């Protein structure tokens, strides 16, 4: 099997979500450290412009967004599962809530707490990335409200452990444990302990320790250039699309644009290889890496015909 290559940087919470999944599944993987802000000259040849972190590369197949990364890891390494029997719907919905709502709760409290001490270059990058939403000074001005929202949401989770369950959905870790953990991990790492919103949430603290104990699997470093060389030497895997859909006016084979619909909306252009209710796959031909297939989740991504 081709190497599992994760492009990420240590402080990335979405990167931490995937690192813990790799740990839970006991996977050996290659670790490529990428810049935490633009420019990302060794990432863009693989992604065609998508700049979010992390990305997963397997040969000449590139998985964008932790939803598509996690589904691919689950497909290749089904045991232990991220979706224990009976939890499919709850797992997907709770993880989406964490990725969209809890993430911004935590970003608001972390940036708002750091305020003017956020390095100017980093603040400018994230402002542009988020169309002005991730503004440390605006968050600082609204900090009491942001902290209250975060605490309200975290207590939903804290109270869920009252029946003695060790993980969010029961006896074993499931997909949303990894999403939620990523953001509590970011919070604990970035907010001074005396103001940490988790201070009076003992169940969440104990649960974090259980997640932490899963480790990160077995990473070995890989240089960005070697990762690009692996993509260049590989051929994308054949696309198997279960339950394909026809998007009005966009047949398979058409030139298309795919872009996130929330933030980091940098468009990626390619040829549509398949679309379903859950996935979008496009083919790009890049001067550095040649033919690569890009795999996006359908939820959260806009698909448009290219002019
Ligand atoms: N929906 C995306 C969100 C990823 C995301 O927002 N990642 C942050 C870092 S944790 C990011 O891309 N920041 C800007 C950057 O790394 O350039 C996912 O699930 O992968």
């Amino acid at each position: 099997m081709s190497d599992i290559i994760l492009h990420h940087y240590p402080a990335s919470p979405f990167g931490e979500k995937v690192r813990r999944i790799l740990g839970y599944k006991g996977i050996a993987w290659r670790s490529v450290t990428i810049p935490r802000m633009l420019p990302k000259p060794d990432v863009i040849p693989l992604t065609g412009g998508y700049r979010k972190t992390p990305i997963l590369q397997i040969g000449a197949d590139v998985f964008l967004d932790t939803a598509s990364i996690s589904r691919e890891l689950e497909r290749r390494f089904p045991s232990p599962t991220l979706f224990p029997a009976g939890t499919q719907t709850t797992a997907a919905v709770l993880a989406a809530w964490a990725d969209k709502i809890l993430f911004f709760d935590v970003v608001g409290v972390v940036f708002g707490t750091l305020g003017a001490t956020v390095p100017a270059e980093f603040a400018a990058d994230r402002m542009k990335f988020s169309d002005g939403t991730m503004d440390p000074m605006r968050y600082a001005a609204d900090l009491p409200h942001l902290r209250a929202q975060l605490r309200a949401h975290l207590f939903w989770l804290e109270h869920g452990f009252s029946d003695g369950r060790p993980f969010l959905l029961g006896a074993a870790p499931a997909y949303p444990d990894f999403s939620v953990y990523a953001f509590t991990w970011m919070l604990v790492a970035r907010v001074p302990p005396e103001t940490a919103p988790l201070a009076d949430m003992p169940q969440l603290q104990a649960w974090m320790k259980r997640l932490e104990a899963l480790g990160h699997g077995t990473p070995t470093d890989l240089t960005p250039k070697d990762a690009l060389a692996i993509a260049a030497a590989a051929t994308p895997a054949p696309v198997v699309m279960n339950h394909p859909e026809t998007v009005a006016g966009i047949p398979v084979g058409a030139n298309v644009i795919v872009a996130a619909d929330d933030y980091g909306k940098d468009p990626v252009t390619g040829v549509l290889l398949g679309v379903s209710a859950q996935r979008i796959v496009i083919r790009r031909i890049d001067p550095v890496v040649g033919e690569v297939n890009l795999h996006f989740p359908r939820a959260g991504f806009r698909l448009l015909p290219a002019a």
Side-chain angles (χ1 to χ4, degrees):
M1 186 193 286
S2 302
D3 284 347
I4 301 293
I5 305 171
L6 186 68
H7 298 248
H8 64 134
Y9 50 86
S12 160
F14 282 97
E16 180 66 7
K17 169 180 170 181
V18 176
R19 292 188 293 261
R20 287 288 162 207
I21 290 174
L22 292 163
Y24 182 45
K25 289 182 173 288
I27 298 171
W29 53 285
R30 312 301 307 270
S31 171
V32 179
T33 301
I34 62 173
R36 63 180 191 151
M37 56 186 147
L38 294 178
K40 304 191 184 196
D42 293 328
V43 172
I44 301 306
L46 284 173
T47 68
Y50 179 93
R51 57 89 37 119
K52 288 186 186 176
T53 308
I55 65 169
L56 182 77
Q57 176 195 348
I58 304 174
D61 282 86
V62 182
F63 297 84
L64 294 324
D65 193 288
T66 55
S68 108
I69 293 173
S70 305
R71 293 282 175 182
E72 182 63 13
L73 291 175
E74 177 76 4
R75 194 180 72 77
R76 288 174 182 256
F77 305 92
S79 181
T81 181
L82 298 175
F83 300 94
T87 68
Q88 283 283 349
T89 301
T90 319
V93 173
L94 187 51
W97 168 82
D99 289 352
K100 298 273 185 191
I101 306 289
L102 190 62
F103 172 57
F104 273 98
D105 286 346
V106 170
V107 165
V109 168
V110 168
F111 271 30
T113 304
L114 298 175
T117 68
V118 175
E121 199 191 357
F122 185 69
D125 180 86
R126 290 307 191 260
M127 289 275 277
K128 191 160 179 227
F129 176 57
S130 64
D131 299 328
T133 304
M134 294 180 181
D135 176 351
M137 298 320 290
R138 188 178 62 83
Y139 285 139
D142 202 22
L143 194 53
H145 173 69
L146 296 173
R147 286 176 63 85
Q149 296 310 302
L150 175 61
R151 281 176 64 75
H153 291 159
L154 289 178
F155 268 117
W156 291 347
L157 305 175
E158 174 75 8
H159 292 146
F161 292 107
S162 58
D163 61 1
R165 64 180 62 200
F167 296 100
L168 291 175
L169 298 186
Y175 183 50
D177 286 285
F178 298 96
S179 285
V180 172
Y181 175 82
F183 310 126
T184 54
W185 170 83
M186 177 181 176
L187 190 65
V188 169
R190 304 273 155 206
V191 175
E194 64 275 13
T195 58
L198 285 181
D200 55 356
M201 300 182 196
Q203 303 293 346
L204 268 177
Q205 288 185 37
W207 162 85
M208 282 190 73
K209 290 209 166 58
R210 289 191 280 277
L211 265 290
E212 204 181 312
L214 300 177
H216 283 157
T218 315
T220 48
D221 287 343
L222 183 70
T223 67
K225 295 278 187 265
D226 285 346
L228 293 176
I230 288 171
T235 306
V239 176
V240 180
M241 186 63 72
N242 298 323
H243 313 297
E245 291 194 345
T246 310
V247 178
I250 313 183
V252 164
N255 287 321
V256 293
I257 298 169
V258 182
D261 67 4
D262 49 4
Y263 59 94
K265 298 177 192 163
D266 312 71
V268 182
T269 305
V271 172
L272 185 65
L273 297 186
V275 55
S276 74
Q278 299 300 338
R279 300 169 56 206
I280 301 169
V281 187
I282 67 171
R283 160 75 49 88
R284 285 192 64 250
I285 302 177
D286 180 89
V288 177
V289 294
E291 290 191 340
V292 280
N293 283 2
L294 305 190
H295 303 254
F296 299 88
R298 187 70 181 90
F301 284 84
R302 200 179 293 281
L303 173 63
L304 296 169

